[in-house]
Amino acid sequence: MTAESSSAPPSKSLFRFICRQITLIRRFVVNLLFVLLMGFLVLVLIGSCQGQRPPSASALLLNPTGVLVESSSLTPGLMRLLDAEFALRETAMPDLLRAITAGTRDPAIREIVIDLSRLQSISQGQAERIGTALEAFRNAGKQTSVYAYSFQQNGYLLASYADAVYLHPMGQAMFPGVGLYTVFLRDFLERLKVDINIFRVGELKSFTETFTEGAMSDAVRAEYQGLADTLWNRWQTQVAANRSLPPERLRSYTNAFAETLRGTGGDLARAALETELVDELISEDEFNARMRRVHGGNGPNRTGDSGFSSVDFRTYLSHQAQPSVSGRYIGVLTLEGTISMSAPQGGAIGAEQSVRLLRKLRQDPELAGLVLRISSPGGSSFASELIRQELELLQLSGTPVITSMGDITASGGYWIAATSDRIFAEATTQTGSIGVFSVLPTFNRSLDELGVATDGVGTTPLSGGLSPVLGLNDAMRSVLTQSVQHTYRSFTTLIARGRELPLDQVEALADGRVVLGERALELGLVDTVGSLPDAIAALAEETGLDPAQARFLSPGADLSKFEQLRTLFTRSVFGAEVARMVLPGAVEPLLDAATRLPRFDDPSYQYALCEFCSPGVLDMSAPGLTLPSLPTPGR
């Protein structure tokens, strides 16, 4: 055999070379991620060890970070590993409230200092709940102070509960009010020759208008104007009361802000000061020096810390004795986010995970009752029904179930709650939105325009009926229309049974309407306007237990070790930084979207979603706010 015949063809040699290079790159990337992850875990462990020094400060630092959530997507075990520098992408509301309550009882804590600089968003309801806890702290004879470079709208609502509000001299407090806006794609889709096939019941289910209309319909406009006005009036009333301001002065500030600025030469901070929204304009160094005079400390150190003697609320909580709950107990389970069939990574409600946990609870002889804390704009109607069925089975086993609604419990969220023994809603809870829709896009006209044809054979009129490249035929349209109507009837029948209302009354107040908690009480959709502690107290009285016998259950407790580690990585700032190195760009918002947006996995393609039921949507001053129809699945 000659040397020429024994050598590999050039094409094969090139192919082998490319494969070797791809393998080397793959190994490098995998090894890099492994090293970074191990370094991350080592730093976490070091940070957790360093954080075990007992606090001795007289000031409690309330410095929430990221997004405020009802329950952390990390399990308690993983949260204990994290220190504040790594767990920056979300803050659990119960942790904030527990810290304030503990500080109220602690004689060593004389002041709460609030830092909102790293808080990405806060809803009106969340601000009011924290504010109520701060009022109890003040009533105990203690002080609260807030310092900020600038104030977002609902961040300022929280700050207004404090004794003293300080603002940087170049800061601002601008309040644009409540705005509800969406994108309409009808004309855009028509230019692309894309058909959006919509089947809905509920004239006010405005999600579908995004695809079918060029502007908001009159009915939806009237509904949402009323909702926005109610929330905005409540915001102004609360702020005016907290700051002892004449309501007219506050309304003048918000409604004629441009004119107010002319009187200060465009100085935003001075406009807030002269309206008495803040007490003083001082720099951060001056604020820290003032705190050092009150609470002690040695001045800023080389790491940039403020230097005044204070304890971070997370560290403070880690040294609080946790109540030992033994014997019969009240379970408190939080479900938060959009609803899908499966959500293994946290940040959403997965029927598979929820049902598995509820079945375990049904087998627990020590569970005396369950408080379901739910905050959800809805999602898959099938997944919602699976969770609701499991809750009803728990009730039939003799365990009472009370639902406590968070900021949002609408559409599929309300579906889950509908047959609870009792429903508690907060005054600002957005609920209702009773309606069902299916949305199926087809691209046959787009393909025709491009010269792409589709042809074939089938055995029934439904063959290929759900293909996006074939237009829907009459038979499939009839099937989907009847199916959506049936699901809607099931939804309203459940509500009539669970709320003990006549079916015609439920149908009259349904139709996709969104209402706030107090209006929901008037309509009979909820039983009480009250908080989560109110719901726990009510169930404790019913079961003959002490409210202290409440055990907060972790929705992520059943995740596998791999899923928990993946959640730890993706829900931390460190994980976002690694993602930026591997995939440069604005990765963090995409990571949030990946965990918080629903998976459209309903087997019947039917959804109960509320478009504007999102805390960030109602605070138009929130940083990085995007149009609700794009990141937030619609109602």
Side-chain angles (χ1 to χ4, degrees), residues 142-165:
K142 304 185 179 190
Q143 297 292 309
T144 53
S145 299
V146 182
Y147 181 82
Y149 291 150
S150 63
F151 285 110
Q152 300 172 22
Q153 185 165 290
N154 289 330
Y156 180 79
L157 173 59
L158 170 58
S160 70
Y161 286 89
D163 295 289
V165 180

Side-chain angles (χ1 to χ4, degrees), residues 390-425:
E390 205 60 41
L391 284 169
E392 191 164 30
L393 288 174
L394 184 63
Q395 293 169 263
L396 292 173
S397 71
T399 302
V401 173
I402 290 180
T403 291
S404 170
M405 293 181 170
D407 290 306
I408 310 156
T409 308
S411 290
Y414 189 82
W415 188 313
I416 292 174
T419 52
S420 301
D421 294 300
R422 293 176 66 185
I423 298 179
F424 283 64

Side-chain angles (χ1 to χ4, degrees), residues 32 157 196 206 246 301 308 346 446 465 484-485 515 535 559 591 624 630:
L32 174 63
L157 173 59
I196 304 295
S206 61
N301 58 34
F308 72 87
S446 300
V484 167
Q485 291 173 344
V515 295
L559 295 180
L591 289 173
L630 299 180

Side-chain angles (χ1 to χ4, degrees), residues 387-632:
I387 299 171
R388 189 209 63 80
Q389 285 178 345
E390 205 60 41
L391 284 169
E392 191 164 30
L393 288 174
L394 184 63
Q395 293 169 263
L396 292 173
S397 71
T399 302
V401 173
I402 290 180
T403 291
S404 170
M405 293 181 170
D407 290 306
I408 310 156
T409 308
S411 290
Y414 189 82
W415 188 313
I416 292 174
T419 52
S420 301
D421 294 300
R422 293 176 66 185
I423 298 179
F424 283 64
E426 298 183 359
T428 56
T429 294
Q430 300 164 60
T431 189
S433 188
I434 300 163
V436 181
F437 65 84
S438 288
V439 177
L440 296 171
T442 52
F443 305 93
N444 52 301
R445 288 199 300 137
S446 300
L447 295 176
D448 288 344
E449 190 76 12
L450 297 172
V452 178
T454 303
D455 197 4
V457 299
T459 57
T460 75
L462 302 183
S463 296
L466 295 176
S467 171
V469 299
L470 300 172
L472 292 185
N473 59 33
D474 291 340
M476 183 56 72
R477 287 183 181 279
S478 177
V479 168
L480 292 172
T481 298
Q482 295 179 64
S483 178
V484 167
Q485 291 173 344
H486 170 73
T487 303
Y488 180 75
R489 286 195 300 271
S490 298
F491 196 173
T492 54
T493 301
L494 282 173
I495 295 169
R497 175 166 65 85
R499 299 293 90 217
E500 298 181 353
L501 296 171
L503 182 58
D504 58 350
Q505 182 178 337
V506 173
E507 291 175 343
L509 60 86
D511 209 29
R513 290 179 177 83
V514 177
V515 295
L516 299 180
E518 292 176 341
R519 178 59 176 159
L521 177 63
E522 296 174 3
L523 296 174
L525 292 176
V526 304
D527 299 294
T528 307
V529 173
S531 63
L532 175 59
D534 294 331
I536 294 173
L539 189 54
E541 182 178 358
E542 181 179 342
T543 57
L545 295 177
D546 190 290
Q549 291 298 108
R551 182 183 300 174
F552 287 80
L553 308 170
S554 173
D558 288 340
L559 295 180
S560 68
K561 298 300 183 185
F562 173 77
E563 288 170 335
Q564 291 186 36
L565 186 60
R566 181 177 62 181
T567 302
L568 170 67
F569 188 73
T570 59
R571 299 307 302 159
S572 68
V573 167
F574 184 85
E577 292 301 326
V578 172
R580 284 193 187 94
M581 286 188 286
V582 179
L583 297 170
V587 174
E588 189 167 355
L590 296 178
L591 289 173
D592 278 328
T595 56
R596 296 188 183 278
L597 290 182
R599 300 169 63 181
F600 288 95
D601 57 0
D602 187 289
S604 301
Y605 306 98
Q606 294 178 10
Y607 299 91
L609 273 166
C610 176
E611 179 174 19
F612 290 122
C613 296
S614 174
V617 170
L618 298 178
D619 183 355
M620 300 306 294
S621 63
L625 181 70
T626 47
L627 292 169
S629 287
L630 299 180
T632 304

